Amino acid sequence: MTYERTYEETPEDRATRRVLNEVATERRRQDAKWGEQNHHAGVWMLILTEEVGEAAKAALEMHEADERAEYIQVAAVAVARVEAIDRRTKP
């Protein structure tokens, strides 16, 4: 699916697109490693919480590069959960 842009792209839009591309790359890496995941909601919450915990640890230790990488993983896990919900609910 492609979206037609109806506005002039700003530098902030480009920054967001770069980050979202990183999240998409991480999603592909996760699927390659684990295959399609269709966990129960509680398992997804555990996975997401574990990733948030890793981001928090990196932040508290002031390892900004690690923190950033963990936030990409947090976002990718959240996207994976939405994808799993969509697989269950779409006709």
Side-chain angles (χ1 to χ4, degrees):
M1 175 183 291
T2 59
Y3 296 96
E4 183 176 325
R5 203 171 346 129
T6 57
Y7 59 91
E8 187 172 332
E9 188 175 57
T10 67
E12 292 82 9
D13 295 329
R14 287 188 288 279
T16 298
R17 187 167 25 92
R18 280 191 304 273
V19 171
L20 292 175
N21 283 335
E22 289 180 61
V23 172
T25 298
E26 174 62 17
R27 278 294 303 118
R28 288 190 297 274
R29 188 195 68 75
Q30 290 171 350
D31 279 349
K33 183 173 183 176
W34 304 107
E36 182 179 288
Q37 301 293 298
N38 293 294
H39 302 296
H40 180 274
V43 173
W44 279 112
M45 189 54 63
L46 289 172
I47 295 167
L48 185 59
T49 301
E50 186 265 342
E51 292 298 341
V52 170
E54 290 178 357
K57 181 178 185 287
L60 289 171
E61 294 174 351
M62 300 188 346
H63 294 219
E64 201 165 68
D66 292 343
E67 180 187 1
R68 185 185 187 286
E70 292 300 336
Y71 281 124
I72 295 295
Q73 291 179 17
V74 166
V77 168
V79 168
R81 174 56 178 146
V82 171
E83 291 170 355
I85 289 169
D86 287 351
R87 282 191 296 274
R88 291 173 52 101
T89 59
K90 288 193 177 177

